[in-house]
Amino acid sequence: MIRGALGLALLGMLTLSACKDKPIPAEEVIANLDHYLGKRVRMKAKLRSGARCRVGESPEDWKTYCKDCQFCNGPYVVDLGLPPVETTTTSTATDEPPQDWPMILGGSHDYKAIRCRGPLNEIACYPFELGKEYVVEGMLERNRPPRLMVDGFQPAD
């Protein structure tokens, strides 16, 4: 009796885990943002660092991929193969987001922020490996740029 119940429970869990939707390519999600904004999304994406680096203390000292940076900070960005954009100031709420940021990732994993930060040439990104493809899932928020609040992920097959 107990074996049958355990077997049935195991079969039910396997069935539920196999019922996940097929991940949508990130290019398709970004091309059809209006359809996906405000909804739960499960997509396949390659990720890169969106860290911008600070040289000094004033906002005018922000530079992108600068040579003499002291500290870098930024989100993971969905990589569509666009070249990085060189900017001389940090983006504000009224500015346009960088063109090389079609979508950013946010949230936390194991109580640590999902982001990249650290000194230049020692930027540490958590929890994803840069350049690897992942299946990420979460709520796609209407921001500039759009932000996927990650609540689950796994390496892509």
Side-chain angles (χ1 to χ4, degrees):
M1 177 90 169
I2 293 176
R3 271 194 219 162
L6 287 175
L8 192 56
L10 181 60
L11 182 61
M13 287 180 8
L14 288 174
T15 303
L16 286 175
S17 66
C19 290
K20 290 204 175 207
D21 294 332
K22 183 176 177 185
I24 304 162
E27 296 81 8
E28 182 180 325
V29 173
I30 291 168
N32 301 298
L33 271 176
D34 289 338
H35 177 72
Y36 294 103
L37 285 171
K39 296 180 181 172
R40 185 164 176 73
V41 175
R42 186 166 193 261
M43 71 177 187
K44 188 179 206 180
K46 192 174 183 182
L47 306 172
R48 65 174 183 75
S49 170
R52 302 302 199 233
C53 303
R54 179 179 285 232
V55 174
E57 294 303 316
S58 71
E60 291 80 34
D61 292 335
W62 279 90
K63 296 194 179 192
T64 305
Y65 308 109
C66 58
K67 295 178 183 164
D68 300 317
C69 293
Q70 294 175 356
F71 195 78
C72 306
N73 193 12
Y76 277 98
V77 177
V78 172
D79 187 1
L80 297 180
L82 301 172
V85 174
E86 295 289 331
T87 61
T88 56
T89 60
T90 185
S91 178
T92 65
T94 58
D95 291 340
E96 286 293 315
Q99 292 176 353
D100 62 336
W101 286 19
M103 181 187 297
I104 62 173
L105 274 58
S108 64
H109 176 71
D110 286 343
Y111 305 106
K112 287 177 68 177
I114 294 175
R115 65 182 308 104
C116 299
R117 62 182 312 157
L120 184 67
N121 298 326
E122 295 178 30
I123 298 173
C125 295
Y126 178 82
F128 307 108
E129 274 186 58
L130 299 177
K132 257 184 117 175
E133 201 167 40
Y134 288 88
V135 174
V136 290
E137 50 189 302
M139 184 65 70
L140 186 56
E141 294 182 343
R142 186 180 302 271
N143 284 325
R144 293 179 73 191
R147 177 175 51 204
L148 182 70
M149 292 303 292
V150 178
D151 60 22
F153 66 91
Q154 63 190 41
D157 295 332

